[in-house]
Amino acid sequence: MAEKPQETRFLELEKDNFKKETLFRLKKGWILEFRSGATLFGTKYKILTNHPLEHGIGFRRSEFHLVPWQKASGSADESAFFAPVLLRQAGAFEYYYEDEDSKSQLGHGYFVVDPVLQIAKGVDGLPETLPLDSIVLQTVVTKLLGPLPEWDARLRVARETNYNMLHFTPVQELGDSNSGYALSDQLKVSHKIANSMGDLEKEIQRIYQEYNVLSIVDIVLNHTATSSPWLKDQPQATYNMENSPHLRPAFLLDFVLKQFSEEISEGQLADRGIPRIISEASQLDKIKEILWHEKFPAVKLHEFYLADTHLIVEQFRAKCRDYKDYRKESEGIKDLDFEEPKTWERFGATVDLESARVFFHAPVSADGNNPETDPRIEECTIALKHWIEKKNGERYTTVQSHLSAALNGISGSVWYERMQQDGPHYGAVSREHPLVAPYFHTFEQFSTLEAAEAAMKDSHRGRLIMAHNGWVMSFDPLKNFAASDCNVYLRRELIPWCDNVKLRYGDSPHDCPFLWSRMRDYVTQMCSIFHGLRLDNAHSTPIAVAEYMLDAGRTINPDIYVIAELFTGSEGRDNIFVNRLGITSLIREAGNGQDSHDLGRQIHRYGGDPVGALVQLPRARLRACMAHALLYDQTHDNPSMIKKHSLSDVLPTAAAVSMAFCAAGSTRGYDELVPFAVDIVNEKRLYQKFVDKSAGPGELDIKAGILAARQELNRIHNYLANKGYSQIFVDQMDPDTMAITRHNPTDHSSYICVLRNAFSQPGPDVFKNAPPLRPMEVEGTLEGIVMESLLFITGESSYVENPDFITGLSGHYDLYFERGVSFAKSRFVSVDDWTQKAFHKRKINFKYFPPGSVIILKTTIGFQPAMSLSKINGSLQNNLASTKISELSKNFTVADLNRILFRTNAEEQDDGLGGGVYHIDRIPPLPYCGLQSFQTLLEKIRIHNDLGHPLCENLRAGNWMMDYISGRLRYFENTVALADWLDSVFANVKEMPRYLIPQYFDIVITKVFDTVTHESLDRFGPVVSQGSAFTRLLALGTYQFCGIVLSSKLPLLSPNLTPPVPPVVKRLGSELQFSTAVSLSAGHEHFSVGWARNWGRDTFIALRGLLLLTRQFQDARFIILSYAGCLRHGLIPNLLSEGTGARYNARDAVWFWLYSIQQYVALAPDGQNILKDTVSRMYKTDDAEAATPGKFDEPLHATIQEALLKHCQGLNFRERNAGWNLDREMNWEGFNNSIGVDLATGFVYGGNPNNCGTWMDKMGSSEQAGIKGKPATPRDGSAIEIVALCKSAVDWLSEMYRKGAYPTDRVAWKTSAGQEKVLKFDDWSKLIQQSFEPRFYVGPDDGKSEYIRRDLVNKTPIYKDTYGSFTFWADYQFRPNICIAMVVAPEMFNVKNAWSVLEVIQARLVGPLGMRTLDAESD
């Protein structure tokens, strides 16, 4: 068996990308690879993570490690760097990246590594990995299991029904309330369960070894029972009146409500319309009236928020009389506010008197005229008094709004608990059921409000008045609702748990060492016994506390399984908790579905790829994802499914959850049809024991409830996850019926579960006359019925609760359940003979399928598709397919690869074969006809598994796309063999079921594309073949822009050219012959065919990157020589138009042409031989007509020399055919060209204000704006890049002369007056060198330069863009042409000046992947 490839996920980092709400899930053993995104190119930065980088190094959350950069072996490309991290540990990890110089953070994020769980015995008897998606978990309330010796009998039902994980509520000693989550001692096992934690550990190990079942337990971190024995000794661990005095007003309000409740319970208010039993809205209105008008005013809670006006005013007056200078930190203060009370006494708000002095402009020196009664002080004092009174008024209003909210909260609570139809209906107000639940726990009773307030203020007694914990609806889970900046307790927004007090950790272990230490011991103890933890009330547990505790737990069990239920209100908020805590699975509740469609949405949402999804490559982009789900049919704190939906819905909902591709959960009692939710606080009865055959009370067997069906559903859930059924499809067949398909993407077998929900209980007649259901069609072979089941309701429920045991319904239902039933004996479906013999489509008829029905079928792909699949796999075996395609690719030319991979619509149509890009409905036209278009779409589809994409729809609908891809390659001899290979593989793809065709089309196209591009890029040399993905993509531009276009051929080369010469080929099926010399498109797709394709300037700017650095030297040679043949006026054509229609309006094209020749000589083997290559001159003189190839031949060096000569002599000509037909935007003067060399500086100059002679050649076209015929970028004069190209050229020619490769070292000519002139290359170079810096560099104003107009300078330092422009201000525009000049002639620049200008370029012009053409601040 071939070794499984290393799974790698790469993450492209971008600048200012902070991802606290983005979840990335990975697996141990994978590699996480960080790469630079576009916005970080050119930035020096480092990456750090707290994931250990070496084996044996422990995890410390605050300890970050530098991730070393690596690069592809032998790569010379800086962008090929990446930073890999081998994921060795499970848990929650962070990464961040920072600028190496400034140390500022550029980005930050998290990643979560899943734990690896193991069952004790796999198929070979050895421990075996339990995939997270195969978990089937049952929750049990621990206190209902009885003592340890009885656990085996009570838990055996879980083993018998194939659960592989048990979730225990807390096992610790419980508080006086007996609530399962009110722990009195976190470090002791409940005495009702075991004698010691050691005994418990042995039992958990027995369950693991004998049952093959893992166990997890709740941990409760944010509260403790009010009866916890350590509370009085460690009150600092709670929110009490001493350490949280901001809660004092809320406590007094709570006491007032307690007294009011006692008055009602004692009947004291009956004569005022408030009886002990509150049952009418008018009574509730009376309660609100008395509270608002009598009880609330009496306690005067607003006084805790106000300031003592008189006291502060007198203190302020005394402070002002000191006449001290203002404190520096108080100077410039613009606002003033109360300081929050420190002691929270009545009228305890204060004002910072020093700030008040500044705010009210108190004098700092005495008034000599009135030293005793300074009127300035009195003026300030009066202003302060008015200000305090205003602030007190505002505070009073705020407190009243809080009390109004509290009144509404009280009213809502009373309504729900005593009057709402689905409420608990507590009955009479009593001590056990007070009017409202208390918010605070006290260890002593107070008889009066004054006594309560006195105790509250007392240090010792106040610390024993503690806040209860509870639940706050819609509260920010990242905030502490007991903190001083929250008013939850005062506004009565808490739903309190009155048997617990809220724990106060502070921000770190230093704040409350006892509590942090105790809870750490608690968590690590549980991690040493159990395989996982459920973090109870996770959203209200301080996240820093949970981090600390889970980090400690993972030191004991690194692969601890962590689950939690979050109520944050958003997926992003959920992800914050998952990211920071490393939560493995989030609890989701199927019972929350509003109808069958909503349930199906959950099944689809929480896991699995869609059926037929494209294959995910082992090396792929890291995708953000959802948290892994643990989907419950019913949790232990949910209402009973029987009550919420119906008895008939228990089985189909369980089946739906079992078919989900995620962890599945249920609660004890669900399978036994217990018709109520087990009360976690008050329930004292025990679970029943499982026996082989039920014998009496307290016992049950496999026939109880839906246990028999659950046994099979759990087996199927486990099997599907373990065997790779990772794809899912949910089909809503009717409003109550869904079909859930789990599909194996390897062998293409499927399990299809059809179920009919009953969100309300159907009448008894429905089981006799079931509603019809449309037939279902499936593709493949029907292997059989795995199971079918139905809970028949035979009568009305007459449930009687057992006083000792928790029992389910019995006596009025029958469970029909069959495993492996034949189609002939099925109660639910029928399959006719035609269907069984059908080739692809199988039709299943539902003859009887009432609500509550479940059937699971298995299908396989079928014989013929299986044979095709075998052939496809054989054709695509890595080595075989790659070798075959590689062999074909070796013979492909640049033109062939242009056709295979790219080719625009216009280029394809230009072939005259009726072709064009492939049309796909509902998306824009494809950019190319070749494989790149399809591969780009497939990559996007793969990221999100978007099988609804129009490309996938097109493939499922027919075979046209496959025929198109191979068919267009059959017209050309070199690509026929590839077309044959594609057809042979596509023939088998076409035999697959239609829903699988996108998947296998993707596999074929990806294989061909990857192999062809790999082979074609390898020929470019190590810089490309071993470069980064970015470099390789850039290099594909060679095949993207270089091709053969019949309407835009290069001029023919001389027939006397020394071989190699471009061969002439014949198109298959026709007599058409054409040269294989490629030309370069100036841009897709407007500039890809006809007269618009070939432009001299664009060609030679791009030639080095597209053909020379990629080592396609012969293609480059043919292009250089073709353009050389069209030299006229000493210029290379701008618009080529096959030479006969050329335009000579680019004064830079000839210099880029010369630079390309220079680079060819430097890079190509024996490159200097090109200087002797034969050029066929189309125009022997400037005014000659076009000559036939070979008529006027000369060596390339002669053509070069003529270009230099013409420039030195000076060029003055008007374009041929000047006028509207040649250029619609240019004015009359623009067609005139004047170019020459300034012999004083050596600079090439030219152009006028009406034409564009350089690559920045946008001509204005708007008459309305007044710019028609005016260059958008006036660059006449001496352009900086042309000056540099010229210097580079003459330096190179001088060198070639010294090497004997060029016949002369000078240009010699006669002036119009007959004067002989000579300019040696070396002298020309020196002229430029001496003249450049004084005329182009603009530094700080030193007053020395005669060539700088300071009135036009808006930035320094810069190099001018031009020198001597008619539009004089244009010289000073700050443009990127400086960089071209620095690359081609670096020696021309003063190094210090160049570096200073580069810093400005970096700041003003450099973008993520390119450069701006103009600084925004340039005029």
Side-chain angles (χ1 to χ4, degrees):
M1 179 179 286
E3 185 178 345
K4 191 175 181 180
Q6 172 72 60
E7 292 282 346
T8 299
R9 298 294 179 269
F10 63 86
L11 178 62
E12 289 188 347
L13 305 177
E14 300 290 353
K15 191 174 183 180
D16 297 325
N17 201 347
F18 296 87
K19 293 177 172 289
K20 69 177 182 178
E21 294 189 0
T22 301
L23 173 61
F24 296 119
R25 280 182 58 211
L26 300 119
K27 297 184 183 300
K28 285 170 68 174
W30 286 13
I31 291 175
L32 172 59
E33 191 175 285
F34 296 104
R35 300 181 184 175
S36 292
T39 55
L40 285 173
F41 282 178
T43 302
K44 287 186 177 181
Y45 68 99
K46 55 186 178 182
I47 304 168
L48 298 99
T49 180
N50 58 5
H51 186 284
L53 300 184
E54 297 179 15
H55 181 70
I57 302 297
F59 168 73
R60 292 181 179 83
R61 186 172 293 273
S62 61
E63 190 174 295
F64 283 79
H65 316 283
L66 182 66
V67 185
W69 288 105
Q70 298 181 17
K71 66 176 181 176
S73 177
S75 173
D77 171 21
E78 289 186 10
S79 64
F81 282 91
F82 60 94
V85 178
L86 175 61
L87 303 178
R88 306 171 187 273
Q89 296 184 19
F93 304 98
E94 291 181 66
Y95 67 88
Y96 69 90
Y97 40 109
E98 65 180 20
D99 188 282
E100 284 194 2
D101 297 325
S102 67
K103 306 301 181 185
S104 60
Q105 220 176 80
L106 301 171
H108 172 269
Y110 298 84
F111 58 94
V112 175
V113 181
D114 289 338
V116 176
L117 305 180
Q118 287 191 320
I119 55 174
K121 299 181 182 69
V123 291
D124 56 1
L126 298 174
E128 184 179 274
T129 297
L130 179 70
L132 297 181
D133 298 310
S134 71
I135 290 172
V136 273
L137 172 150
Q138 186 179 67
T139 294
V140 293
V141 178
T142 306
K143 69 177 186 176
L144 307 182
L145 290 172
L148 280 186
E150 298 182 12
W151 279 27
D152 182 48
R154 299 194 198 284
L155 292 175
R156 185 182 163 199
V157 65
R159 178 184 65 178
E160 296 293 338
T161 49
N162 291 320
Y163 286 97
N164 54 29
M165 184 176 285
L166 284 169
H167 160 226
F168 295 88
T169 58
V171 296
Q172 280 72 24
E173 198 73 74
L174 301 180
D176 293 343
S177 70
N178 200 39
S179 167
Y181 288 90
L183 312 188
S184 67
D185 193 332
Q186 288 79 10
L187 302 181
K188 288 179 63 177
V189 68
S190 170
H191 71 279
K192 297 179 181 179
I193 295 175
N195 294 324
S196 69
M197 282 291 183
D199 291 342
L200 174 66
E201 183 174 6
K202 290 176 183 177
E203 178 63 12
I204 297 302
Q205 276 300 306
R206 185 193 66 80
I207 293 170
Y208 179 60
Q209 295 294 335
E210 294 183 15
Y211 288 10
N212 227 16
V213 170
L214 286 81
S215 299
I216 70 172
V217 69
D218 274 290
I219 55 170
V220 184
L221 298 177
N222 54 10
H223 57 247
T224 191
T226 54
S227 57
S228 295
W230 51 268
L231 266 185
K232 287 187 178 181
D233 295 330
Q234 305 292 340
Q236 76 279 5
T238 69
Y239 288 86
N240 58 59
M241 297 301 103
E242 181 189 35
N243 63 20
S244 303
H246 60 279
L247 294 176
R248 289 178 177 182
F251 165 66
L252 291 183
L253 177 62
D254 198 56
F255 181 79
V256 167
L257 293 172
K258 177 176 179 292
Q259 283 188 318
F260 184 58
S261 179
E262 290 173 354
E263 292 174 9
I264 296 173
S265 70
E266 293 169 1
Q268 297 180 26
L269 299 176
D271 58 347
R272 299 186 65 180
I274 307 177
R276 293 178 66 242
I277 298 177
I278 312 298
S279 59
E280 298 178 7
S282 61
Q283 296 164 352
L284 185 56
D285 289 341
K286 195 65 179 177
I287 289 172
K288 292 168 64 176
E289 178 186 334
I290 292 175
L291 285 174
W292 187 255
H293 293 289
E294 299 178 27
K295 301 299 182 180
F296 286 3
V299 73
K300 299 179 181 178
L301 295 181
H302 60 275
E303 293 181 350
F304 287 93
Y305 299 86
L306 306 186
D308 185 329
T309 306
H310 177 73
L311 176 64
I312 294 176
V313 166
E314 290 306 314
Q315 290 173 341
F316 179 71
R317 180 180 284 113
K319 186 83 171 177
C320 290
R321 284 175 177 165
D322 289 343
Y323 295 112
K324 291 183 179 179
D325 290 337
Y326 298 149
R327 292 187 314 219
K328 284 188 177 181
E329 57 268 28
S330 299
E331 290 179 0
I333 187 170
K334 296 180 179 179
D335 198 8
L336 191 66
D337 202 352
F338 281 162
E339 293 182 324
E340 289 303 325
K342 292 182 175 60
T343 60
W344 282 87
E345 303 283 348
R346 294 180 185 272
F347 297 104
T350 60
V351 177
D352 183 79
L353 298 179
E354 189 61 37
S355 297
R357 285 181 63 227
V358 177
F359 188 75
F360 292 108
H361 308 292
V364 295
S365 59
D367 185 345
N369 298 322
N370 300 284
E372 296 298 325
T373 58
D374 190 333
R376 297 173 300 169
I377 293 177
E378 290 307 309
E379 183 180 339
C380 293
T381 303
I382 292 170
L384 174 64
K385 180 176 181 291
H386 291 158
W387 178 87
I388 294 174
E389 290 171 346
K390 178 184 177 185
K391 281 291 181 182
N392 277 345
E394 293 172 356
R395 287 291 185 95
Y396 177 83
T397 301
T398 300
V399 173
Q400 289 302 103
S401 73
H402 291 330
L403 291 176
S404 177
L407 191 66
N408 290 332
I410 293 164
S411 173
S413 177
V414 174
W415 176 270
Y416 169 71
E417 293 178 348
R418 301 175 189 279
M419 300 167 65
Q420 190 166 306
Q421 185 175 359
D422 59 348
H425 294 279
Y426 283 150
V429 176
S430 63
R431 189 174 294 274
E432 183 181 4
H433 294 297
L435 182 70
V436 289
Y439 275 19
F440 294 89
H441 173 71
T442 63
F443 287 90
E444 60 176 309
Q445 299 301 314
F446 311 113
S447 58
T448 65
L449 177 64
E450 291 74 19
E453 186 166 353
M456 173 185 82
K457 294 179 182 179
D458 182 86
S459 175
H460 178 72
R461 297 168 71 196
R463 72 182 64 173
L464 297 180
I465 301 174
M466 302 170 179
H468 288 309
N469 195 25
W471 163 248
V472 185
M473 297 289 290
S474 304
F475 190 78
D476 184 347
L478 297 175
K479 294 178 68 176
N480 177 5
F481 59 74
S484 61
D485 60 346
C486 292
N487 293 289
V488 164
Y489 285 83
L490 181 63
R491 294 169 64 87
R492 305 293 295 188
E493 294 171 334
L494 183 74
I495 301 171
W497 301 323
C498 301
D499 52 356
N500 290 295
V501 292
K502 186 173 178 64
L503 293 175
R504 183 176 183 269
Y505 288 88
D507 296 326
S508 71
H510 177 75
D511 295 327
C512 191
F514 164 81
L515 185 59
W516 288 76
S517 175
R518 181 179 184 82
M519 291 306 190
R520 178 190 174 100
D521 291 345
Y522 161 45
V523 171
T524 55
Q525 187 181 59
M526 292 300 95
C527 288
S528 69
I529 297 173
F530 291 90
H531 306 97
L533 305 173
R534 176 184 177 271
L535 184 58
D536 178 61
N537 207 223
H539 50 278
S540 295
T541 302
I543 200 163
V545 172
E547 280 181 326
Y548 178 87
M549 300 304 168
L550 290 174
D551 288 351
R554 288 188 175 103
T555 64
I556 304 300
N557 182 352
D559 284 297
I560 197 77
Y561 178 58
V562 180
I563 68 171
E565 189 170 17
L566 297 174
F567 300 95
T568 67
S570 77
E571 187 176 318
R573 289 281 182 93
D574 283 356
N575 287 344
I576 291 175
F577 282 84
V578 175
N579 279 332
R580 292 185 59 179
L581 306 184
I583 297 172
T584 317
S585 303
L586 284 185
I587 295 170
R588 308 294 189 182
E589 300 174 3
N592 286 340
Q594 301 302 307
D595 51 30
S596 181
H597 181 271
D598 196 23
L599 174 60
R601 180 191 61 80
Q602 291 187 69
I603 302 302
H604 180 267
R605 174 175 170 79
Y606 291 133
D609 296 329
V611 171
L614 307 192
V615 174
Q616 296 299 317
L617 304 176
R619 184 181 187 84
R621 185 182 304 275
L622 181 60
R623 296 184 297 174
C625 62
M626 288 183 59
H628 183 257
L630 168 56
L631 182 62
Y632 272 83
D633 45 32
Q634 178 184 319
T635 67
H636 66 294
D637 50 7
N638 279 156
S640 164
M641 183 65 67
I642 297 171
K643 291 283 182 67
K644 188 170 185 179
H645 292 175
S646 72
L647 176 60
S648 291
D649 202 48
V650 171
L651 180 60
T653 297
V657 170
S658 295
M659 292 299 291
F661 186 58
C662 61
S666 189
T667 190
R668 178 73 186 267
Y670 184 96
D671 301 340
E672 299 158 41
L673 304 183
V674 174
F676 55 84
V678 173
D679 188 336
I680 198 73
V681 177
N682 299 311
E683 185 62 72
K684 294 180 175 62
R685 294 171 296 174
L686 301 177
Y687 293 125
Q688 296 184 90
K689 297 178 180 179
F690 186 89
V691 294
D692 292 328
K693 187 174 181 181
S694 181
E699 296 178 344
L700 76 163
D701 58 23
I702 198 67
K703 295 179 182 178
I706 63 166
L707 291 178
R710 173 68 82 178
Q711 183 184 62
E712 183 64 5
L713 289 172
N714 285 351
R715 184 196 69 81
I716 291 170
H717 180 85
N718 194 320
Y719 175 85
L720 294 178
N722 273 288
K723 298 300 181 181
Y725 287 79
S726 59
Q727 297 182 346
I728 191 166
F729 174 68
V730 180
D731 176 22
Q732 198 71 40
M733 299 179 66
D734 71 18
D736 297 312
T737 309
M738 72 177 88
I740 305 170
T741 299
R742 286 284 295 276
H743 182 79
N744 187 313
T746 303
D747 65 13
H748 297 297
S749 60
S750 296
Y751 279 67
I752 304 170
C753 175
V754 184
L755 59 94
R756 191 162 233 171
N757 286 114
F759 273 63
S760 59
Q761 185 60 49
D765 290 345
V766 81
F767 295 100
K768 297 177 182 178
N769 302 299
L773 181 63
R774 65 172 171 84
M776 181 175 66
E777 286 190 343
V778 298
E779 293 197 58
T781 299
L782 284 171
E783 293 294 328
I785 299 173
V786 180
M787 65 164 278
E788 59 181 30
S789 189
L790 169 65
L791 201 62
F792 284 98
I793 310 301
T794 58
E796 289 294 326
S797 170
S798 57
Y799 180 70
V800 178
E801 292 194 18
N802 186 296
D804 301 313
F805 303 102
I806 298 171
T807 59
L809 297 172
S810 62
H812 71 288
Y813 69 87
D814 287 321
L815 177 69
Y816 162 66
F817 168 73
E818 290 290 343
R819 183 188 293 114
V821 64
S822 67
F823 285 105
K825 295 182 179 180
S826 171
R827 288 195 187 184
F828 294 161
V829 298
S830 64
V831 180
D832 54 39
D833 292 339
W834 176 87
T835 293
Q836 290 182 319
K837 296 174 183 177
F839 178 60
H840 271 329
K841 296 281 187 182
R842 265 70 177 185
K843 184 178 180 182
I844 299 172
N845 299 302
F846 291 87
K847 57 186 181 182
Y848 175 73
F849 207 68
S853 300
V854 174
I855 185 171
I856 299 179
L857 311 164
K858 182 180 181 182
T859 67
T860 55
I861 195 173
F863 175 77
Q864 185 57 50
M867 293 294 293
S868 297
L869 176 59
S870 177
K871 292 177 182 177
I872 293 170
N873 289 335
S875 299
L876 294 177
Q877 284 181 357
N878 283 338
N879 293 336
L880 181 63
S882 297
T883 301
K884 177 65 176 176
I885 301 169
S886 292
E887 289 175 355
L888 297 175
S889 300
K890 291 183 188 303
N891 297 321
F892 293 152
T893 64
V894 169
D896 295 332
L897 289 163
N898 167 256
R899 188 173 304 281
I900 293 166
L901 298 175
F902 295 101
R903 204 83 173 151
T904 66
N905 185 64
E907 289 171 324
E908 193 89 346
Q909 291 178 343
D910 195 82
D911 288 336
L913 299 171
V917 295
Y918 187 77
H919 174 74
I920 300 175
D921 288 340
R922 297 191 294 110
I923 63 172
L926 300 180
Y928 301 109
C929 304
L931 296 179
Q932 180 66 71
S933 277
F934 302 99
Q935 184 67 15
T936 298
L937 289 179
L938 290 169
E939 287 173 355
K940 292 179 180 177
I941 292 167
R942 189 182 295 112
I943 291 173
H944 301 292
N945 280 321
D946 183 14
L947 296 185
H949 191 280
L951 179 141
C952 298
E953 292 178 357
N954 185 281
L955 286 165
R956 288 190 290 266
N959 299 325
W960 314 291
M961 195 182 302
M962 291 180 276
D963 293 340
Y964 168 87
I965 288 172
S966 60
R968 60 181 292 273
L969 301 179
R970 292 200 164 279
Y971 294 100
F972 306 94
E973 185 176 359
N974 269 12
T975 57
V976 168
L978 179 58
D980 289 341
W981 186 88
L982 284 168
D983 276 340
S984 69
V985 182
F986 282 153
N988 292 307
V989 173
K990 293 172 184 177
E991 294 295 326
M992 300 296 289
R994 299 309 303 183
Y995 72 92
L996 290 177
I997 285 182
Q999 176 182 341
Y1000 284 93
F1001 174 83
D1002 168 56
I1003 292 172
V1004 173
I1005 294 301
T1006 299
K1007 170 63 72 174
V1008 175
F1009 181 84
D1010 286 350
T1011 306
V1012 169
T1013 54
H1014 184 272
E1015 183 66 36
S1016 63
L1017 292 174
D1018 273 358
R1019 65 178 69 172
F1020 289 171
V1023 170
V1024 173
S1025 65
Q1026 298 177 18
S1028 69
F1030 178 71
T1031 298
R1032 293 169 68 85
L1033 288 172
L1034 282 179
L1036 282 176
T1038 298
Y1039 306 122
Q1040 185 178 11
F1041 293 103
C1042 301
I1044 300 169
V1045 174
L1046 299 181
S1047 66
S1048 192
K1049 297 186 289 291
L1050 292 176
L1052 292 176
L1053 300 172
S1054 170
N1056 304 311
L1057 178 64
T1058 304
V1061 296
V1064 174
V1065 298
K1066 181 179 178 182
R1067 190 163 68 197
L1068 299 179
S1070 76
E1071 297 301 316
L1072 180 65
Q1073 294 184 333
F1074 51 89
S1075 168
T1076 57
V1078 299
S1079 61
L1080 269 66
S1081 167
H1084 291 333
E1085 82 167 0
H1086 177 68
F1087 295 98
S1088 59
V1089 299
W1091 64 267
R1093 178 178 179 85
N1094 294 322
W1095 297 72
R1097 172 195 295 132
D1098 302 73
T1099 292
F1100 293 108
I1101 287 174
L1103 189 117
R1104 180 177 184 269
L1106 292 181
L1107 293 176
L1108 296 179
L1109 293 181
T1110 58
R1111 307 199 303 186
Q1112 306 307 295
F1113 298 119
Q1114 290 307 319
D1115 291 300
R1117 173 173 169 254
F1118 300 148
I1119 291 172
I1120 289 170
L1121 297 176
S1122 292
Y1123 274 89
C1126 300
L1127 187 80
R1128 203 174 196 179
H1129 306 293
L1131 300 176
I1132 290 296
N1134 186 21
L1135 181 63
L1136 181 63
S1137 196
E1138 298 189 17
T1140 55
R1143 282 191 72 180
Y1144 294 87
N1145 61 333
R1147 65 181 192 272
D1148 59 353
V1150 67
W1151 299 104
F1152 281 113
W1153 172 73
L1154 282 169
Y1155 186 71
S1156 296
I1157 298 172
Q1158 177 182 343
Q1159 291 296 302
Y1160 179 92
V1161 171
L1163 297 170
D1166 300 321
Q1168 65 189 34
N1169 290 340
I1170 196 173
L1171 296 173
K1172 297 182 288 186
D1173 265 333
T1174 303
V1175 174
S1176 177
R1177 292 292 298 275
M1178 184 174 286
Y1179 304 105
K1180 183 59 178 173
T1181 64
D1182 292 343
D1183 297 321
E1185 294 298 319
T1188 57
K1191 184 174 182 180
F1192 300 112
D1193 283 354
E1194 65 184 23
L1196 178 61
H1197 62 72
T1199 312
I1200 294 172
Q1201 191 66 16
E1202 181 180 328
L1204 298 176
L1205 175 63
K1206 293 282 188 179
H1207 276 75
C1208 287
Q1209 288 176 328
L1211 307 171
N1212 288 282
F1213 68 94
R1214 183 172 178 78
E1215 283 195 75
R1216 289 164 181 77
N1217 305 313
W1220 187 83
N1221 287 331
L1222 185 62
D1223 192 321
R1224 298 183 180 186
E1225 311 301 343
M1226 191 172 285
N1227 64 30
W1228 190 252
E1229 292 297 322
F1231 293 105
N1232 297 329
N1233 288 275
S1234 178
I1235 304 170
V1237 176
D1238 182 345
L1239 297 181
T1241 62
F1243 296 170
V1244 175
Y1245 66 86
N1248 64 55
N1250 299 293
N1251 60 27
C1252 309
T1254 74
W1255 72 277
M1256 292 182 169
D1257 62 350
K1258 171 62 180 172
M1259 179 62 76
S1261 57
S1262 172
E1263 292 183 354
Q1264 185 176 358
I1267 60 171
K1268 186 175 178 64
K1270 297 180 181 179
T1273 311
R1275 300 192 71 232
D1276 53 281
S1278 296
I1280 188 171
E1281 77 277 13
I1282 297 180
V1283 171
L1285 286 164
C1286 173
K1287 184 176 188 305
S1288 179
V1290 296
D1291 283 343
W1292 170 67
L1293 289 174
S1294 179
E1295 179 187 356
M1296 289 297 100
Y1297 170 74
R1298 289 191 294 273
K1299 290 182 177 180
Y1302 196 78
T1304 182
D1305 66 345
R1306 67 196 64 197
V1307 180
W1309 72 98
K1310 286 186 178 181
T1311 66
S1312 57
Q1315 182 182 5
E1316 291 187 353
K1317 291 279 189 179
V1318 173
L1319 183 58
K1320 296 182 71 173
F1321 297 147
D1322 286 345
D1323 294 336
W1324 194 347
S1325 175
K1326 289 175 183 176
L1327 272 177
I1328 296 173
Q1329 186 72 47
Q1330 294 165 2
S1331 305
F1332 177 74
E1333 281 281 338
R1335 289 166 176 79
F1336 274 89
Y1337 177 68
V1338 181
D1341 186 7
D1342 55 10
K1344 296 178 181 178
S1345 178
E1346 60 184 288
Y1347 305 110
I1348 307 299
R1349 279 191 56 178
R1350 289 289 166 183
D1351 59 317
L1352 300 177
V1353 175
N1354 58 39
K1355 179 183 287 84
T1356 62
I1358 66 168
Y1359 283 99
K1360 296 180 187 177
D1361 188 50
T1362 55
Y1363 171 72
S1365 173
F1366 287 102
T1367 314
F1368 43 83
W1369 53 264
D1371 284 351
Y1372 296 87
Q1373 290 189 322
F1374 190 48
R1375 294 185 177 275
N1377 299 301
I1378 304 164
C1379 297
I1380 300 174
M1382 286 185 178
V1383 168
V1384 300
E1387 73 285 349
M1388 191 170 68
F1389 292 81
N1390 174 281
V1391 173
K1392 182 179 179 181
N1393 292 345
W1395 275 114
S1396 65
V1397 173
L1398 281 172
E1399 289 178 359
V1400 182
I1401 290 173
Q1402 175 73 38
R1404 303 300 306 171
L1405 297 179
V1406 174
L1409 285 176
M1411 300 187 74
R1412 300 175 183 88
T1413 57
L1414 178 65
D1415 171 36
E1417 294 181 358
S1418 291
D1419 292 331

